[in-house]
Amino acid sequence: MKEQKKYNIKIKSGSSNPKKADSHKDFEKVYSAYSSWVYRHPWYKAQLHMPRYRKVFMYVLLIVLISYLVYEAIQKEQEMEKAQQEQVDSIPK
Amino acid sequence: MATNKEIIIQHKLVEAAKRKPKMFKRLYEMFHNDIFYFILNRCHDEHLAADLCSKTFLKAMINLPKYEFKGLPFSAWLFRIASNELNLFYRSNNKNRDVSIEENVLPEIIEETEFQYSEESIDLLLESINGLDLEEVELLELRYFEKRSVKEVSGILGMSEANVKTKTHRVVKKLGKIMKAKSEK
């Protein structure tokens, strides 16, 4: 059985012509494609930070949030204690 | 292969492009021709190469925020994107992959397979390449046909340098075996 041809092999002689590549060089085309891609994917801006930094940022946010909730709870408890104390103090002996 | 100074300059340009995408133009101009010929050697069609080259740079711009500097030239990352684009193109179009070999590298690779350089051994080599997997052909292309350094190949294929050396050695051995089997037929 004849072996299946997987590749089209071409033998080249001589060096490549740099003018051939230069004629296809067009950054504006790539940039406009990029701009329209960004326009179609608005959430892309949120990804602009590296994942590592995003993770650190999430941890900091979480710690701040938990600290705020704990602080609020402590404040509320102190206020309640104070109110109770005032109520107790207002009772004539 | 880029020097350390060039790699640092490239890294600075990448950081600037991450902040302002228009700054990517410098990197585009720096690497366009390399990427274009990298693709052209693998597809033999100028217009298709130009199209895939544009797609490669577009993907690079989109994924630039995820790029992490690992001490390798920026081009290695671009070559990897280009290689993925090519594989995607061939897979979705169900076409045979094109491979280019420069005439002057033929004697070296034939000698490595322990054959004498002749018209017959060239035909044998070309026939035997069809017995290799795509990953093996990619290694041959990068190391022998394009004469890239081990470090560069490891950056492009995402392998360790030791792995590149071992795999290249195995591929050449396998190619020699296929050629021997074909010559005995």
Side-chain angles (χ1 to χ4, degrees):
Chain A
M1 203 180 91
K2 206 181 170 192
E3 195 178 48
Q4 199 196 346
K5 200 180 165 203
K6 277 164 49 183
Y7 310 105
N8 300 323
I9 304 164
K10 189 173 144 189
I11 297 178
K12 285 195 311 176
S13 54
S15 59
S16 42
N17 177 13
K19 276 186 186 166
K20 202 193 271 181
D22 285 337
S23 66
H24 295 289
K25 206 184 255 184
D26 185 3
F27 180 71
E28 290 311 314
K29 190 179 144 195
V30 175
Y31 187 75
S32 70
Y34 168 76
S35 304
S36 62
W37 189 90
V38 171
Y39 181 74
R40 279 182 280 121
H41 300 80
W43 58 89
Y44 171 74
K45 287 274 174 197
Q47 295 177 357
L48 281 177
H49 298 284
M50 281 198 286
R52 197 164 29 131
Y53 293 143
R54 231 186 315 163
K55 219 173 182 178
V56 172
F57 177 71
M58 290 303 288
Y59 276 125
V60 170
L61 203 70
L62 202 68
I63 290 165
V64 168
L65 191 73
I66 290 169
S67 323
Y68 175 74
L69 290 175
V70 169
Y71 176 75
E72 276 284 285
I74 292 169
Q75 284 279 44
K76 250 185 192 171
E77 213 176 289
Q78 276 179 349
E79 271 173 29
M80 264 174 64
E81 264 178 30
K82 213 175 170 182
Q84 267 181 345
Q85 191 66 43
E86 274 172 12
Q87 270 183 354
V88 171
D89 289 345
S90 66
I91 299 168
K93 284 177 188 174
Chain B
M1 185 75 193
T3 61
N4 278 348
K5 202 180 167 188
E6 283 170 337
I7 292 173
I8 290 166
I9 291 170
Q10 287 170 18
H11 178 57
K12 281 180 184 167
L13 289 172
V14 169
E15 288 304 313
K18 273 184 186 179
R19 284 189 295 275
K20 204 176 173 197
K22 262 261 168 187
M23 302 284 259
F24 194 80
K25 192 176 182 179
R26 284 278 302 275
L27 289 163
Y28 178 84
E29 277 170 359
M30 206 181 260
F31 298 114
H32 176 270
N33 289 9
D34 292 342
I35 300 295
F36 179 80
Y37 285 114
F38 178 87
I39 297 170
L40 189 62
N41 280 341
R42 289 156 176 80
C43 74
H44 301 168
D45 179 346
E46 201 180 315
H47 293 285
L48 177 64
D51 189 34
L52 291 177
C53 187
S54 298
K55 277 186 183 168
T56 301
F57 280 104
L58 174 64
K59 285 231 168 129
M61 283 186 85
I62 291 167
N63 292 302
L64 199 64
K66 292 179 198 161
Y67 172 78
E68 277 183 60
F69 179 64
K70 287 173 185 164
L72 289 166
F74 182 63
S75 56
W77 189 65
L78 290 176
F79 285 131
R80 204 189 305 180
I81 299 175
S83 174
N84 290 341
E85 278 300 308
L86 272 161
N87 292 342
L88 196 71
F89 168 78
Y90 281 113
R91 220 178 304 136
S92 53
N93 288 286
N94 216 6
K95 276 185 173 181
N96 281 351
R97 164 82 139 74
D98 292 340
V99 177
S100 297
I101 310 176
E102 280 205 22
E103 212 173 4
N104 54 355
V105 301
L106 285 170
E108 189 195 347
I109 185 133
I110 287 171
E111 263 176 40
E112 291 262 357
T113 53
E114 292 167 9
F115 271 80
Q116 288 285 329
Y117 181 68
S118 64
E119 285 285 321
E120 203 182 306
S121 61
I122 293 174
D123 290 340
L124 211 55
L125 173 81
L126 301 184
E127 247 182 73
S128 305
I129 287 175
N130 280 307
L132 298 177
D133 298 331
L134 182 61
E135 195 194 32
E136 294 167 334
V137 172
E138 276 181 335
L139 258 174
L140 273 187
E141 278 178 324
L142 294 166
R143 277 292 286 145
Y144 286 96
F145 307 161
E146 291 171 2
K147 301 256 171 225
R148 293 183 196 277
S149 68
V150 174
K151 194 177 175 185
E152 214 176 349
V153 177
S154 78
I156 296 170
L157 297 179
M159 289 179 192
S160 68
E161 287 183 38
N163 205 2
V164 169
K165 280 182 197 167
T166 321
K167 280 197 171 175
T168 313
H169 182 71
R170 279 191 202 146
V171 171
V172 174
K173 240 182 171 179
K174 185 179 173 182
L175 192 63
K177 268 186 191 170
I178 299 171
M179 284 171 77
K180 205 173 176 189
K182 280 189 186 287
S183 68
E184 282 166 3
K185 263 184 193 174

